[in-house]
Amino acid sequence: MEKKESRVVAAVVKNGDKYLCMQRCRSHYLYISERWEFPGGKVEQGESYHDALIREIKEEMDWDIYVGKKLGTITHEYPDFKVKLTAFLCKGGDEQFKMLEHLDYKWLTREEMNDLNWTEADRKLLEVIE
């Protein structure tokens, strides 16, 4: 049976030489539970990637971000579903974000990010970040 593919957007938020990494909450899918990711989420029907990213970050973090250039798109097949993940370089707003749907966060350099236990899809995104 063909797995359902979801279009997902990710915000690669950069501040100086550090990037924002978020730890997912516990999930019934063990292979993504409590793993690290870039914040973002599913693109709704008829929604642009840009609008989806603004909405998802507002919902998950109560934060306004500025969406910049597209970094790349990867596709990953998990045991139960498939994601087409598009990442954008973003800048955070003036206010501090809230963690409404995550366990933890870290600001890390590109090198430090290799040490985290990422979701498989987000690990692939590391390759498109300088």
Side-chain angles (χ1 to χ4, degrees), residues 4-51:
K4 184 177 182 318
E5 181 177 279
S6 296
R7 290 184 311 147
V8 178
V9 284
V12 178
V13 182
K14 190 173 184 186
N15 187 354
D17 68 340
K18 298 198 182 241
Y19 296 90
L20 180 61
C21 309
M22 305 294 293
Q23 187 178 23
R24 295 179 62 94
C25 285
R26 200 163 278 136
S27 164
H28 57 278
Y29 297 123
L30 288 177
Y31 47 84
I32 59 173
S33 185
E34 297 182 22
R35 299 270 185 112
W36 291 83
E37 67 175 1
F38 294 105
K42 285 187 183 154
V43 180
E44 308 274 336
Q45 188 71 37
E47 191 176 39
S48 73
Y49 286 168
H50 180 272
D51 290 345

Side-chain angles (χ1 to χ4, degrees), residues 75-103:
T75 302
H76 184 76
E77 200 165 318
Y78 287 105
D80 301 284
F81 58 92
K82 196 155 105 181
V83 292
K84 185 173 183 181
L85 182 57
T86 303
F88 292 86
L89 188 61
C90 297
K91 185 178 181 301
D94 298 335
E95 301 299 314
Q96 182 61 25
F97 63 83
K98 299 177 178 87
M99 285 197 308
L100 304 175
E101 293 192 20
H102 290 92
L103 293 176

Side-chain angles (χ1 to χ4, degrees), residues 64-79:
D64 294 314
I65 58 163
Y66 303 95
V67 180
K69 72 174 183 175
K70 179 178 165 181
L71 293 172
T73 301
I74 63 98
T75 302
H76 184 76
E77 200 165 318
Y78 287 105

